[in-house]
Amino acid sequence: MSDYLIKLLTEKIINSFPEEEKAIYNYVIQMEDQIAEEVATPVEFMNRLHVDSPHKLAAQAFGMTLFELLQTLKQVDDKIAHQLEPMLKDVQWKDCTELINNRGGIDKSRKLFYVSIPQDFKA
């Protein structure tokens, strides 16, 4: 499955959450993403998590204990996984490469797909 599509569906799910859950999750993900951009290896990432303690900083920012923050993140991750799985099962990919190539004007080395995402998902 496309990482881009998973990201879009995940954002749709997160946007349906209560404001506090959404704010906590986005805050932590943003901090983790920033660290990930600054390091070269997974080991460096883990070391930076240990040294910088972004989760402790996030807990302080939201007036929570570290344990409460981690529990909240676990609950949010579980909710995302629970809602994302059926969404991904209902996404349909249709290979349209041959149809488009027969009409000409398209680079024949490329694959073209139509992706159907059900509208009725209430994340």
Side-chain angles (χ1 to χ4, degrees):
M1 188 64 59
S2 162
D3 289 340
Y4 178 73
L5 179 59
I6 291 171
K7 181 180 178 188
L8 287 178
L9 294 175
T10 300
E11 286 174 4
K12 180 178 180 177
I13 293 166
I14 292 166
N15 287 332
S16 74
F17 291 168
E19 286 303 316
E20 184 178 17
E21 283 183 355
K22 188 180 350 180
I24 291 168
Y25 185 83
N26 286 331
Y27 186 89
V28 171
I29 293 301
Q30 190 174 41
M31 291 176 78
E32 289 176 351
D33 286 349
Q34 183 177 348
I35 291 171
E37 287 178 15
E38 296 170 1
V39 299
T41 67
V43 172
E44 287 180 55
F45 179 77
M46 295 306 289
N47 287 337
R48 282 285 302 277
L49 284 180
H50 180 71
V51 171
D52 293 359
S53 302
H55 297 96
K56 285 183 186 177
L57 295 172
Q60 290 172 351
F62 288 96
M64 305 170 85
T65 65
L66 179 59
F67 180 74
E68 290 170 333
L69 177 88
L70 294 176
Q71 269 189 318
T72 300
L73 290 174
K74 169 95 171 84
Q75 290 169 350
V76 170
D77 280 338
D78 289 347
K79 286 168 64 173
I80 291 169
H82 178 74
Q83 293 180 35
L84 186 60
E85 187 176 331
M87 287 176 129
L88 292 174
K89 284 182 182 175
D90 285 344
V91 170
Q92 296 179 0
W93 293 78
K94 181 123 178 136
D95 186 349
C96 297
T97 306
E98 189 175 318
L99 175 70
I100 300 298
N101 283 342
N102 287 340
R103 294 187 180 189
I106 301 294
D107 179 4
K108 297 204 186 273
S109 66
R110 297 178 74 185
K111 297 286 265 174
L112 301 168
F113 292 90
Y114 171 78
V115 181
S116 173
I117 302 171
Q119 291 282 330
D120 60 342
F121 278 115
K122 294 194 170 119

